[in-house]
Amino acid sequence: MSLKSIARAAGVSISTVSLVLSGKGRISDMVRERVLQAAKDLKYKSPLYTQEGATVAVLFPLDPEWRHVLEFVGVILSALESKLTAAGYVPVLVPISFTDEAEVISRKLEVLNPRAVGSVHYINEELFAALEQRGVPVVIINRSLLQDRFCTVCVDDFQGAYEAGKYLLGRTGGGRTVYIGYEKSIMTNLIDDRMYGFQKALLEAGCERPQQELFYVAEPLPSQLDQLLRPLFSAAPPQAIYVYDDYLALFVAAALERLEPGLAGRVELLAPGDTLDYSLPCTPQLSTMSIDTIQLGELGAELMLSRLQSSGFELLVRKIRQKLLVRAAGNKTI
């Protein structure tokens, strides 16, 4: 029985089921009871009650500033769980923080004594190297920074940004197209891949100084975005904006409306995703370079199973393509 089945029965998201079953997060009593009842009705068995040697640990961060990716990560975890369970292994979710020291996480894993470790959206070179030295295979999912050292399943963000740039330039007839992203952070490689992929599209379109079309904010705060967009739209207004992700794109669209009512409807917006839950009626239907989270989870599980069945180490990397997904939203792209 998978988290996805419980989520469907309880009428909640997969990430909510994960939080309830792990005793984490701020979940209302009503929702918690509904999830637990659904798990009971479906005869869900906790991963803690499994035969020795069948446990696979799955690390995932629960830092407050990353809550907006829980829906995204939840689908990955569900697909990962289904594949591993079908192969006779039981994945145990291990909530962690980006600020945790390697030793802290290592102690958590020692209690579980897992056969393998998967890490979703999180990397720690010191921890992963120590696990590999002890004979515990590691597979990184949805982060590309350490793909030259550890087996990895990730998204081709360079390709996605390049194709997004070409699409926007085509939609605007070569009109001014800019990038809005975050300043450097722990996701440095992700920021670089999306920035350089977008620049490549600009260069091919004849832009001599693509660096001048790159703009950054530290956080998606209204004050920062207003300060950025006001001068940008006062001189040579861009006709299209490629945004770092659809979470930031929400704030960009709101800032455009503050700058001038209706402006968000006259500017092409496109962003990688899908970190937002587009099934909710309150979520603006943004066009995205969609990421197949089910495929990320399934490929991650297949790579883990391959490593569990192999006696040696072979560096394997799997990348999935982003695909343009045009949605019916309140701007002229769609």
Side-chain angles (χ1 to χ4, degrees):
M1 183 57 58
S2 68
L3 297 185
K4 185 176 182 180
S5 300
I6 298 173
R8 188 184 301 113
V12 299
S13 67
I14 296 170
S15 56
T16 298
V17 173
S18 175
L19 291 172
V20 170
L21 296 181
S22 62
K24 304 291 183 179
R26 296 180 180 179
I27 308 296
S28 69
D29 291 340
M30 182 179 67
V31 172
R32 188 179 299 276
E33 289 177 9
R34 197 161 75 234
V35 170
L36 292 175
Q37 186 60 50
K40 181 179 179 181
D41 293 343
L42 293 170
K43 296 181 172 56
Y44 178 79
K45 294 183 179 180
S46 168
L48 295 177
Y49 302 102
T50 183
Q51 70 266 34
E52 185 177 356
T55 300
V56 174
V58 181
L59 307 176
F60 68 107
L62 277 180
D63 300 77
E65 61 268 31
W66 294 99
R67 284 175 182 162
H68 65 280
V69 303
L70 282 180
E71 186 69 27
F72 181 93
V73 172
V75 179
I76 297 174
L77 293 173
S78 178
L80 185 73
E81 179 199 36
S82 296
K83 278 269 185 180
L84 291 173
T85 301
Y89 294 93
V90 180
V92 178
L93 306 183
V94 182
I96 55 169
S97 168
F98 280 108
T99 60
D100 286 343
E101 298 289 339
E103 183 180 349
V104 173
I105 301 175
S106 182
R107 285 199 297 268
K108 291 183 179 182
L109 294 175
E110 285 176 2
V111 175
L112 295 173
N113 190 28
R115 288 280 307 281
V117 171
S119 184
V120 180
H121 205 62
Y122 170 83
I123 55 173
N124 187 314
E125 187 171 6
E126 177 188 354
L127 172 67
F128 297 166
L131 288 169
E132 290 282 358
Q133 288 176 358
R134 294 203 299 267
V136 179
V138 174
V139 173
I140 301 171
I141 302 169
N142 199 40
R143 288 295 302 275
S144 60
L145 184 60
L146 300 178
Q147 60 183 300
D148 60 333
R149 287 205 56 195
F150 302 97
C151 292
T152 300
V153 176
C154 59
V155 179
D156 193 339
D157 288 291
F158 181 92
Q159 163 268 332
Y162 169 69
E163 292 188 7
K166 286 177 67 71
Y167 170 78
L168 290 175
L169 288 163
R171 290 284 292 170
T172 62
R176 189 181 185 195
T177 303
V178 304
Y179 167 87
I180 295 180
Y182 292 112
E183 296 172 358
K184 299 296 183 181
S185 70
I186 58 173
M187 298 294 183
T188 298
N189 63 305
L190 182 60
I191 291 174
D192 287 346
D193 284 348
R194 292 179 180 176
M195 179 186 68
Y196 289 132
F198 178 75
Q199 282 191 86
K200 176 176 169 57
L202 292 183
L203 285 168
E204 289 186 0
C207 179
E208 296 180 356
R209 298 180 179 178
Q211 296 85 351
Q212 294 183 351
E213 306 295 4
L214 309 177
F215 301 90
Y216 306 93
V217 292
E219 298 178 84
L221 297 175
S223 58
Q224 292 190 26
L225 286 165
D226 290 348
Q227 186 177 5
L228 170 67
L229 293 177
R230 193 173 296 112
L232 180 60
F233 276 83
S234 64
Q239 298 177 31
I241 303 175
Y242 172 65
V243 189
Y244 170 78
D245 65 10
D246 51 352
Y247 178 72
L248 179 57
L250 278 179
F251 294 88
V252 171
L256 289 171
E257 285 300 301
R258 287 193 300 271
L259 186 61
E260 180 184 330
L263 182 58
R266 300 194 300 272
V267 177
E268 300 276 357
L269 282 180
L270 183 61
D274 303 304
T275 59
L276 306 178
D277 185 352
Y278 286 99
S279 68
L280 299 176
C282 58
T283 303
Q285 298 299 297
L286 300 172
S287 288
T288 60
M289 296 301 296
S290 184
I291 297 171
D292 190 336
T293 45
I294 294 177
Q295 187 180 29
L296 272 175
E298 290 180 344
L299 287 177
E302 290 172 8
L303 202 50
M304 292 179 73
L305 292 172
S306 175
R307 295 217 53 201
L308 283 164
Q309 296 162 5
S310 175
S311 57
F313 174 79
E314 180 183 1
L315 184 61
L316 299 173
V317 177
R318 302 284 185 267
K319 287 192 176 185
I320 67 172
R321 296 174 62 86
Q322 295 180 14
K323 297 180 180 179
L324 176 65
L325 179 56
V326 179
R327 293 188 174 91
N331 71 57
K332 66 176 185 179
T333 64
I334 348 242

